[in-house]
Amino acid sequence: MESERLLDLGPNADRAFVTKLHAGQFARDDTLKHAPIAIMFIAQGPSVDFVVGRIYSAVVQKTFDQMAKNDNNGASLPSDKWITDVSLLKPIAETKYRAANCDLIK
C-alpha cells in the first residue's frame, strides 16, 4: 500500500542521514546549507532511532501547524479559527499532497 511505503520512506531516509551525520560524512558547511537548521538542534541523542523520532515529532508538529493554524496562503489564523477537526484536516492534507507532487516520491 502506498501510504505504508511513504510512512517507511521518511524514517529510512532519516536513519541514513543521521547515521552519516554522526559519522562525520557531511561537511559542516554542506549540512548547514542543505539541512533545515532545526535538524541540527535535534540531531543529537543517545541513538539514531532516538534522533529519527525527534525529527518525526518535529515534522508532524510543523505539518499540523501549517494545516491547522494557517490559511491557504500560509498566513497565520487567529487561534479561534484553527482547524482541529480531523475530518476537516484530511482533505487539506490530501490537497497539499497533490499540489506538492508527493506521489512522485520514490
Side-chain angles (χ1 to χ4, degrees), residues 1-11 97 102-103 105-106:
M1 175 181 257
E2 181 66 0
S3 61
E4 291 173 8
R5 184 186 75 80
L6 291 173
L7 190 60
D8 289 339
L9 184 68
Y97 179 89
C102 290
D103 57 332
I105 296 173
K106 300 295 177 206

Side-chain angles (χ1 to χ4, degrees), residues 14-84:
D14 287 345
R15 277 187 198 91
F17 170 76
V18 172
T19 299
K20 290 178 180 180
L21 182 67
H22 286 179
Q25 294 180 355
F26 299 120
R28 181 172 171 75
D29 289 344
D30 286 340
T31 304
L32 293 173
K33 182 177 177 183
H34 298 289
I37 194 70
I39 296 298
M40 303 316 296
F41 290 114
I42 62 175
Q44 302 303 313
S47 70
V48 169
D49 282 335
F50 178 86
V51 174
V52 168
R54 292 182 72 190
I55 292 170
Y56 176 82
S57 178
V59 168
V60 166
Q61 185 62 53
K62 182 171 179 148
T63 302
F64 174 80
D65 288 349
Q66 288 176 337
M67 290 188 323
K69 298 179 181 182
N70 297 327
D71 66 16
N72 289 336
N73 297 319
S76 295
L77 294 169
S79 60
D80 63 324
K81 301 286 186 192
W82 289 354
I83 303 166
T84 56

